[in-house]
C-alpha cells in the first residue's frame, strides 16, 4: 500500500497512482520496435492514423499516451532535433482533445521546452536529463519527468552489460539523478523513476531487477516500467515481437505487485484488464487490513 498523497499532477491533469495506470505507446519512428513505423508517411506523422490509434488506446483505458520521435533501438540512426520536433509536435497538437496525459519520450532540451508549450503532461527521458541543457530545460517548465536508468548508449548498450549488483547500481544512479534534479530546482513531487528494462541489461539483469523491483519503493517516488514486447520476453518465450503480449502482461502484473504505478505498453486493452485484477486484489487487502469489513 502506498503511503501519503498518491495524486500526481501532470500539467493540469491528475492521476491517482494508488491505482495502476496504463500508458499507451505511440511510436513516431520509421524503425519502431513492433508497430513497424506505420504512423509515419514519408517522414511526417499521419495524423489521421495517429488519432485513430490514440482513440483506441484511450477507449481501452489508457490514462497516458507516450509519444516518441527518436528511436532508442540498438543501432538506430540518430535523429536531428528538427526532425524529432517535426514528428512529435504536430501529434501533441492533434491529441489535445483527449482527456489523457500526453507524455513525450525525449532527451532533447529543445523538444522538452516546446512540449510544455504544446500541452504535454510529462517528459519521459531514457537518458534521465543527462543531455547538456536537459535539466535546465525541464526546470524551466513545470512538467514532471520520468528518469530512466540506462547503462551505456543505445547504439552499444546491449554489447556487454556488466553489473556487480544491478538493483543497487540502478537505485544509486536514480538517487543521483533525483539529487541533480533537486539541485536544478525540480522538486521531488515532479519525479517518477524507471529501472529501464532492456537498456544495457542482460536477461539475468532484467529478471533480477523485476524480482527486486520493490527495493525501488525505498526511494519513495512513483515507479514506471516498460516491459512490453521487449527482447527479454522474446528470449523467455521464443516468440516474435508481435506474439509477446501475454508474456508482457504477466511481467506487468509482477511489476505492479512489486509496487510499479505506471505500465508503459503497446497492448493497452490486455494490460488494462490485468490491472483491474491487480486493483481489486489491492482493494481487498486494504479493506481487510484497516478492519473496515
Ligand atoms: C528498441 C529497444 C526499440 C527498446 C524500442 C525500445 C522504455 C522507454 C522505451 C522504458 C521508459 C520500447 C523501447 N522503453 N521509456 N522507452 N521506459 N520510461 O520497448 O522501458 O518501446 S523504447
Amino acid at each position: 500500500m502506498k503511503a501519503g498523497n498518491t495524486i500526481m499532477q501532470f500539467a493540469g491533469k491528475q492521476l491517482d497512482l494508488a491505482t495502476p495506470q496504463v500508458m499507451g505507446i505511440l511510436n513516431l519512428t520509421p524503425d519502431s520496435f513492433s508497430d513497424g513505423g506505420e504512423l509515419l508517411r514519408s517522414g511526417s506523422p499521419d495524423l489521421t492514423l495517429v488519432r485513430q490509434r490514440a482513440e483506441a488506446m484511450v477507449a481501452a483505458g489508457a490514462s497516458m499516451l507516450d509519444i516518441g520521435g527518436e528511436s532508442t533501438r540498438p543501432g538506430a540512426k540518430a535523429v536531428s532535433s528538427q526532425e524529432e520536433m517535426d514528428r512529435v509536435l504536430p501529434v501533441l497538437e492533434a491529441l489535445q482533445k483527449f482527456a489523457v496525459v500526453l507524455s513525450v519520450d525525449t532527451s532533447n532540451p529543445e523538444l522538452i521546452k516546446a512540449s510544455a508549450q504544446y500541452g504535454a503532461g510529462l517528459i519521459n527521458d531514457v537518458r534521465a536529463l543527462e543531455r547538456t541543457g536537459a535539466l535546465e530545460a525541464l526546470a524551466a517548465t513545470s512538467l514532471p519527468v520520468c528518469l530512466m536508468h540506462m547503462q551505456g548508449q543505445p547504439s552499444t548498450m546491449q554489447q556487454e552489460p556488466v553489473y556487480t549488483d544491478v538493483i543497487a547500481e540502478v537505485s544509486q544512479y536514480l538517487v543521483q539523478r533525483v539529487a541533480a534534479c533537486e539541485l536544478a530546482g525540480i522538486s521531488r513531487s515532479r519525479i517518477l523513476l524507471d529501472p529501464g528494462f532492456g537498456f544495457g541489461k542482460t536477461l539475468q539483469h532484467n529478471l533480477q531487477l523485476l524480482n527486486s523491483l520493490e527495493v525501488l519503493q525505498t526511494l519513495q517516488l512513483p515507479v514506471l516500467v516498460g516491459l512490453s514486447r521487449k527482447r527479454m520476453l522474446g528470449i523467455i518465450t521464443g516468440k516474435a515481437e508481435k506474439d509477446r503480449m501475454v508474456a508482457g502482461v504477466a511481467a506487468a502484473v509482477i511489476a505492479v505487485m512489486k509496487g510499479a504505478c505506471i505500465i508503459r505498453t503497446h497492448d493497452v486493452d490486455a494490460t488494462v484488464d490485468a490491472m483491474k485484477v491487480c486493483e481489486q486484489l489491492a482493494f481487498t487487502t486494504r479493506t481487510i487490513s484497516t478492519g473496515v469489513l
Side-chain angles (χ1 to χ4, degrees):
M1 207 178 311
K2 312 279 183 314
N5 179 23
T6 57
I7 310 288
M8 190 157 183
Q9 302 291 334
F10 297 90
K13 289 173 185 142
Q14 288 126 50
L15 293 178
D16 185 357
L17 301 184
T19 304
Q21 304 291 328
V22 176
M23 170 188 267
I25 301 171
L26 284 175
N27 258 326
L28 303 172
T29 58
D31 60 343
S32 67
F33 195 15
S34 43
D35 38 13
E38 83 271 36
L39 295 179
L40 288 183
R41 285 277 172 277
S42 54
S44 303
D46 180 333
L47 295 178
T48 307
L49 216 57
V50 168
R51 270 193 215 93
Q52 273 172 19
R53 185 71 60 86
E55 199 157 301
M57 286 181 168
V58 174
S63 55
M64 313 176 88
L65 296 174
D66 192 38
I67 304 159
E70 184 215 6
S71 175
T72 43
R73 176 186 287 271
K77 268 202 238 130
V79 67
S80 75
S81 174
Q82 193 56 51
E83 210 174 341
E84 193 188 2
M85 308 256 281
D86 291 344
R87 288 175 185 171
V88 171
L89 296 178
V91 170
L92 266 183
E93 205 161 31
L95 300 184
Q96 279 312 309
K97 65 169 170 108
F98 291 101
V100 295
V101 173
L102 302 177
S103 162
V104 176
D105 194 339
T106 189
S107 304
N108 172 0
E110 247 193 301
L111 182 53
I112 291 174
K113 282 188 237 169
S115 295
Q117 263 138 26
Y118 279 74
L122 174 68
I123 299 298
N124 171 27
D125 186 3
V126 299
R127 296 180 183 82
L129 302 178
E130 287 211 67
R131 277 252 177 97
T132 308
L135 264 178
E136 295 78 6
L138 196 279
T141 72
S142 52
L143 293 180
V145 62
C146 178
L147 304 172
M148 199 196 78
H149 174 274
M150 165 162 57
Q151 185 180 87
Q153 291 301 314
S155 53
T156 51
M157 66 189 178
Q158 288 308 105
Q159 281 172 15
E160 209 184 322
V162 179
Y163 299 84
T164 315
D165 180 341
V166 67
I167 187 77
E169 288 167 47
V170 167
S171 303
Q172 280 158 21
Y173 171 79
L174 293 173
V175 166
Q176 281 173 23
R177 295 312 296 156
V178 171
C181 282
E182 288 192 276
L183 269 178
I186 302 160
S187 72
R188 289 177 62 86
S189 64
R190 290 167 63 188
I191 302 174
L192 300 133
L193 303 177
D194 185 336
F197 287 104
F199 285 85
K201 285 143 193 127
T202 63
L203 172 63
Q204 282 314 312
H205 297 141
N206 288 316
L207 290 174
Q208 283 166 8
L209 270 176
L210 183 57
N211 200 33
S212 303
L213 198 66
E214 70 278 358
V215 171
L216 292 184
Q217 298 296 302
T218 59
L219 307 189
Q220 303 228 312
L221 289 170
V223 172
L224 181 157
V225 295
L227 290 149
S228 180
R229 303 189 187 177
K230 283 194 173 166
R231 205 171 70 101
M232 60 181 283
L233 305 173
I235 302 172
I236 295 169
T237 60
K239 289 186 172 174
E241 282 168 20
K242 63 171 177 39
D243 299 320
R244 296 175 191 166
M245 178 181 81
V246 176
V249 171
V253 168
I254 296 167
V256 164
M257 297 302 285
K258 290 174 181 285
C261 296
I262 302 174
I263 305 295
R264 180 183 180 277
T265 182
H266 301 85
D267 301 299
V268 172
D269 193 51
T271 306
V272 167
D273 278 358
M275 292 305 112
K276 285 180 178 168
V277 176
C278 294
E279 202 181 316
Q280 288 304 310
L281 184 67
F283 178 73
T284 307
T285 311
R286 191 176 307 132
T287 19
I288 290 166
S289 68
T290 52
V292 174
L293 285 177

